[in-house]
Amino acid sequence: MFLILKKEVFAPDTFLWEVAAPEIADAAEAGQFAMVRLKEGGERIPLTIADFDRERGTVTLVVKVVGRSTEEMATYSAGERFLDFIGPLGAPTQVKGKNHIVLVGGGLGVAPLYPILRSFKELGSGTTTILGFRTRNQIFWEERFRLLSNQLLVMTEDGSYGRHGTTIDALRFILSGEVPVDEVMTVGPIGMMQAVAEVTRPLKIPTFASMNSIMVDGIGMCGSCRITVEGKVLFACVDGPDMDAHKVDFEELKVRQNRFKKEEIASLKKYRGECALKKEGRIF
Amino acid sequence: MERRSKTILRQKVAMPEAPALERRNGFQEVSLGYTPELAKVEADRCLLCKKPLCVPGCPVAIDIPGFIRQLSDGNLPAAYEILKRSNPLPAVCGRVCPQETQCEVKCVMGRKGEPVAIGRLERFVGDWGVAHGAAEEVEARLTGKKVAIVGSGPAGIACAQDLARAGVAVTIYEALHEVGGVLVYGIPPFRLPRKIVNQEIEGLKRLGVRIERNKVIGKIFTIEQLLHTKGFDAVFIGTGAGLPKFMGIPGEHLNGVMSANEFLTRVNLMHGYEKADTPIGMGDSVIVIGAGNTALDAARTALRMGAKEVTIVYRRTEKESPARLEELRHATEEGIQFCWLTQPVRLHGDVNGSVVAMECLRMELGEPDLSGRRSPRPVTGSEFRIQADTVIYALGTVANPIIARSTPCLKVNQQGYLEIDPQTQMTSIPGVFAGGDIVTGSATVILALGAGRRAAQGILQYLGLSREEERGEGHGLTMPAVSRAG
């Protein structure tokens, strides 16, 4: 069992767990993911590692409620324990010293960008960080990013905080500036990562995106997370999560992300029904 | 001793089975095993050959006439002891071994009738042993040596058992949350009940073997760390099968298309058969591509998960199918349909990106290829379509890259499988051994068990623990030819 040391609620549907897992913290590198299994019969939930602290022996996850299992995760509090924690998984982000790198994070994708930023910073790279949120109350970790970024742009789609606009607007603005950019790294919704790739493609700036395709085992066995990259089948769990964003077939990925839409809706409905019955004391 | 009736039965004693129409709706075991009376009758068919042909057919050289004689005499503990001496998992192998291409094919009884049902007898004795907790608790003198085993599948179990009996402190690192490897994520419970696997694992624990689940070696600890910071004296790698193969035909990205590994993992490992949380993503009409044991497992699992129609598509004929004969018969009885000599060429999808049909070509058999099987070639203009909302690929796997990528000096072949010394199973790194599918590619449980045992001998030798009298022919663990069955 793994102990949740801290829980922080960022927004109604977004929360953070800090989990005691010294061995995973010791091995983790920026860009890797982990899997949570809450209880017997539970799903293996893949989550990109948002932070790790080797001295404290902790791993931090930032989670958005998107379905049955993440909704159940949200019911856990600090001090509670969950069954299985597996990681680190996937290949770490290739962090090499660059003159200047731009990091683009959208929504939940902001979280795993943090250890990537830290790694680049440690190697002395110049960093511009672009964070995008829908609205003000979804913003988290602004200060953490500000401390390590040479330049930080916070964007909100409704203009309620920071600059009004999308991460793509900000990226265009940065790329039209005078500082030459060596590489762009992006984590976030598929549509956003695809748009980032389209902005950097004509400029021939190497661009990497973190793939969050649907997984079962996460250790290179089932092939559920396969992605077409330049016509070749690659697996996000062992070949990724980072992939060359200019080569990924994002349109296909979008369709594949809906593979279990029907089942997910039914499962969430069933779970909520059971929760309601539990509240009423009709099942235990 | 009066052991034989006057007339010798030409046919095997049939093994009781759950009726096809009943069993296809659930995950209870299909073959029910012999009763003691049936086992006795079948055991009495064995001629107890002085120079048995069956034994060399067995990849781990079980003393087959030896255990059958004890069974025939009603001495089950002795029969079980003989099995266990060569095979760490008799109850498992009695169920999943391709006996018809290994031991039974060699049996002289088969010349004028059916061979002795060696597999069914092995299963009977194995089940007796498991039910009676008969795996001996060896009071091994601890040697002070520590070995890490990567993977808790058949190869790892076999290696762990032999090492623990020799007084080595063994820790198994399992990547998944359940222990048993392919025995739990791959082979479905209707063919291998979970109880059998769990009892075998309990036996390992009684021998003092430690098992750590959810530890992916190559990620949380590297092989180098196991040897240099974790204090293990040697490591055995038995990580098993890897990523699934696809064909590279148009439409494989469509939703509803998945590998047998994925489908079986969702149902078996994630307990889809008990309606656990993980979705299955299966529709009403299912096509399975391939005709090996995994393909049949996937097809029969689909039926049990509620598919209305399940069709197996294979480019050769039934004769070339690498599946166990019994599984082919069971699948047919349960209503699986077979499209032999059929080659998929394209998958068609709808506007939502979900698969709706498979386009195929009829094939005909040409000259035998390198594997001795007649190679199929397409009949021109024979295109046709099969409707399907689920397509499952069971075409085998490629090597899992995790260990190789994280272990710089480890030699692999062109396909990514680990290179070993066939005598000792040692890899290119001293003290690091390997066996099972990560060395051979997809093979059988029994070959993995044999490799695990050979590696245990290699490790004991490497650690200076092997006793002279146990070396050489005693263990009968020479490298066998790879059999055709999967």
Side-chain angles (χ1 to χ4, degrees), chain A:
Chain A
M1 299 290 276
F2 289 83
L3 176 66
I4 303 163
L5 291 169
K6 188 170 92 179
K7 183 181 180 184
E8 210 176 310
V9 177
F10 288 150
D13 64 347
T14 312
F15 60 92
L16 169 153
W17 276 6
E18 193 184 8
V19 180
E23 289 177 334
I24 301 178
D26 231 20
E29 299 283 353
Q32 291 187 295
F33 68 98
M35 295 185 110
V36 165
R37 196 166 155 264
L38 292 174
K39 48 163 208 222
E40 287 300 338
E43 289 189 87
R44 293 168 69 93
I45 311 163
L47 298 157
T48 316
I49 294 173
D51 202 2
F52 49 89
D53 186 327
R54 297 201 176 127
E55 274 167 29
R56 280 169 51 79
T58 62
V59 173
T60 300
L61 305 169
V62 178
V63 186
K64 188 180 165 116
V65 174
V66 291
R68 184 233 149 90
S69 292
T70 40
E71 186 158 311
E72 195 167 352
M73 274 184 90
T75 65
Y76 283 63
S77 313
E80 287 192 84
R81 289 166 196 270
F82 61 95
L83 187 59
D84 293 323
F85 196 30
I86 306 125
L89 298 170
T93 296
Q94 292 278 324
V95 181
K96 294 188 203 110
K98 302 274 177 192
N99 282 328
H100 202 86
I101 175 156
V102 175
L103 304 169
V104 185
L108 196 71
V110 163
L113 216 49
Y114 181 74
I116 297 174
L117 168 67
R118 186 172 56 199
S119 299
F120 275 107
K121 196 73 198 170
E122 278 163 7
L123 291 178
S125 305
T127 54
T128 296
T129 307
I130 301 167
L131 306 181
F133 298 93
R134 211 169 305 135
T135 183
R136 180 184 190 124
N137 74 2
Q138 298 192 317
I139 296 170
F140 61 91
W141 284 9
E142 184 188 358
E143 280 318 303
R144 301 186 90 190
F145 277 95
R146 193 175 303 283
L147 281 174
L148 294 184
S149 309
N150 295 75
Q151 184 183 17
L152 175 74
L153 289 90
V154 178
M155 311 294 293
T156 51
E157 283 173 31
D158 62 359
S160 54
Y161 186 85
R163 296 172 196 225
H164 190 179
T166 66
T167 53
I168 305 304
D169 301 331
L171 179 63
R172 284 210 182 89
F173 169 74
I174 294 297
L175 294 179
S176 66
E178 283 176 7
V179 181
V181 172
D182 302 305
E183 188 179 307
V184 174
M185 172 77 210
T186 177
V187 191
I190 296 171
M192 184 200 85
M193 294 193 291
Q194 183 179 23
V196 168
E198 290 319 311
V199 171
T200 59
R201 189 191 305 275
L203 302 171
K204 297 195 169 65
I205 301 171
T207 301
F208 296 90
S210 177
M211 301 291 118
N212 56 344
S213 47
I214 297 169
M215 295 180 183
V216 189
D217 55 272
I219 58 166
M221 205 174 77
C222 81
S224 169
C225 65
R226 63 187 190 274
I227 287 171
T228 306
V229 181
E230 219 177 20
K232 234 180 99 189
V233 174
L234 293 182
F235 301 92
C237 71
V238 290
D239 299 320
D242 295 356
M243 302 269 178
D244 184 334
H246 292 153
K247 295 177 178 168
V248 168
D249 187 335
F250 282 103
E251 288 304 321
E252 181 186 299
L253 181 59
K254 280 184 204 163
V255 174
R256 284 186 62 76
Q257 289 303 81
N258 291 325
R259 277 175 75 197
F260 295 102
K261 205 85 221 164
K262 234 174 40 194
E263 285 97 332
E264 278 162 10
I265 291 167
S267 169
L268 186 60
K269 209 173 138 191
K270 185 172 156 243
Y271 171 66
R272 286 182 178 158
E274 282 166 8
C275 289
L277 287 174
K278 263 184 208 158
K279 260 191 198 155
E280 291 166 22
R282 285 159 66 187
I283 56 168
F284 301 96

Side-chain angles (χ1 to χ4, degrees), chain B residues 141-162:
Chain B
R141 202 168 44 85
L142 282 180
T143 58
K145 297 289 186 187
K146 278 172 68 182
V147 172
I149 289 181
V150 186
S152 68
I157 291 173
C159 190
Q161 204 174 86
D162 282 4

Side-chain angles (χ1 to χ4, degrees), chain B residues 51-66 102-103 106 118:
Chain B
K51 283 188 182 162
L53 300 175
C54 52
V55 177
C58 173
V60 296
I62 292 173
D63 176 7
I64 294 167
Q102 295 181 164
C103 50
K106 306 276 176 66
I118 299 167

